[in-house]
Amino acid sequence: MKVLVLTGAGISAESGIPTFRDADGLWEGHRVEEVATPAAFQQNPQLVHKFYNARRRHLLQEHVRPNAAHIALAEYEKNHDDDFLLITQNVDNLHFVAGSQNVLPMHGQLMEARCTETDRVIPWREDLTPSTPDPETPSRRGSLRPNVVWFGEMPHGMDEIQMAAQNADLFLAIGTSAVVYPAAGIVQETPVNCRRIEINLNATPQSGVFTETIRGSASIEVPKFLKRLQLEAKTSGEA
Ligand code: BV8
C-alpha cells in the first residue's frame, strides 16, 4: 500500500511552534504573505532576515522537540519505508529530528541558507543579515538567504509530488489549513479510489474531498490512526 502524507504547521503546534493561523497569518503586524516574498527580501532584507532569524532561534530552543505525531510517523515509516513518502510544508526540522527518512520539505528548510549568486545550499543555524559573509567566499557578503520557498516561488519536488500523488493508495493530510497552493491541491491529484484521511483540529476547505476526517490534535490522533492502520494491515494479511 503506497502511503503519502502531507503535513502542515498544525503538526508542530504541540511542539511549541506557532502555526500561521494562530498568529492569523500576521507577524509583528506584517502579513506573512508580505514578508515571505522575493519582493519583500529585495526591498527590506533586514525585515525578512529578522522574521526568519526569530523563527530559527525559536526552533533551536531545547524545549522545541518533535511530538508524538512526528515520532509516530517516523516509527510507521520504519515498517513501510518502500511505500512511504512524507511531504511537509513546514520549514522546521522536526520530522528529521524525529527520525523520518523519506521526507520532502516542499517549502524548504529554516536550518539551511542558500546563496543568491550560486544557488548553493548550506546548513545554517545562526542569524542571517544583509552583510553576512559567505563562509566559502568571505568577500561575498549578504548573498545568503533562508532556503525557504516564498510566496510566488516554485515549491521543491513538484514532479516527485505529482508522481507520488497519482500512485497513492492512502493520502493522509495532517495539520494543514489547505489554503496554500500547490500544497493544498495535492489531494486532488490522488486517484479516485485513494483512501484520503484528514487529521485536523478544525474543518478545512478541502474536508469534503476526504474519505475520512478525524477531528482532534495531531499528537493524539496521528499515533492512534497509524496504530489502526497497522492493525488493519495485519488483519487483512497485507505486509
Ligand atoms: C506558487 C515557507 C507559482 C515560508 C510557505 C490566489 C489563489 C490561490 C493561490 C494563490 C493566490 N495568490 C497567490 C497564490 C499562490 C500562493 C498561495 O497559495 N497563496 C495563498 C495564501 C492564497 N502560493 C504560492 O505562492 C506558492 N508558489 O504558487 O508559485 C509559480 C509558478 C511557476 C513558477 C514559479 C512560481 C508558494 C507557497 C509557499 C509559500 N511558503 N512557507 C515560511 O514558512 O515562512 S507557505 C506557509 O504557509 C507554510 O509553509 C504553509 O504551507 C502555509 C501555512 O499553511 P499550514 O501549514 O496549513 O498552516 P496554517 O497555520 O495555515 O494551518 C494550520 C492548520 O493546523 C489549521 O488547519 C489548524 O486547524 C491545524 N492545527 C492547529 N493545531 C493543530 C492542528 N491540527 C492538528 N493538531 C493540532 N494541534
Side-chain angles (χ1 to χ4, degrees), residues 41 45-46 49 53 124 127-133 141-144:
F41 188 62
Q46 195 73 26
H49 277 313
N53 291 343
W124 197 268
D127 279 1
L128 277 172
T129 73
S131 54
T132 302
R141 302 171 74 83
S143 67
L144 294 175

Side-chain angles (χ1 to χ4, degrees), residues 7-14 18-23 25 31-33 36 51-52 55 88-91 106-108 110 148-155 174-183 199-204 216-219:
T7 61
I11 197 169
S12 296
E14 292 162 271
T19 68
F20 292 80
R21 284 163 64 100
D22 294 348
R31 287 205 52 71
V32 171
E33 285 81 25
F51 177 47
Y52 287 98
R55 291 168 66 190
T88 187
Q89 300 173 81
N90 301 337
V91 293
M106 69 183 290
H107 291 159
L110 206 44
V148 300
V149 175
W150 284 328
F151 287 95
E153 295 185 321
M154 184 54 96
I174 305 168
T176 178
S177 59
V179 294
V180 174
Y181 283 80
I199 295 180
N200 196 312
L201 277 183
N202 308 307
T204 71
S217 60
S219 67

Side-chain angles (χ1 to χ4, degrees), residues 71-148:
I71 292 163
L73 284 168
E75 288 306 311
Y76 180 84
E77 178 186 4
K78 283 196 187 108
N79 316 319
H80 295 78
D81 58 357
D82 43 346
D83 273 348
F84 181 93
L85 175 63
L86 170 54
I87 304 167
T88 187
Q89 300 173 81
N90 301 337
V91 293
D92 67 55
N93 59 357
L94 297 183
H95 284 303
F96 294 100
V97 177
S100 287
Q101 303 290 318
N102 212 359
V103 183
L104 201 168
M106 69 183 290
H107 291 159
Q109 293 197 66
L110 206 44
M111 306 306 267
E112 288 178 344
R114 187 170 83 229
C115 175
T116 51
E117 289 172 28
T118 64
D119 255 358
R120 188 175 104 263
V121 172
I122 48 177
W124 197 268
R125 299 168 64 86
E126 325 294 324
D127 279 1
L128 277 172
T129 73
S131 54
T132 302
D134 180 327
E136 208 170 71
T137 331
S139 58
R140 186 185 288 148
R141 302 171 74 83
S143 67
L144 294 175
R145 61 167 272 185
N147 185 35
V148 300

Side-chain angles (χ1 to χ4, degrees), residues 24 34 37 49 117 180 221 235-236:
D24 50 58
E34 284 152 22
T37 66
H49 277 313
E117 289 172 28
V180 174
E221 297 307 333
T235 34
S236 69

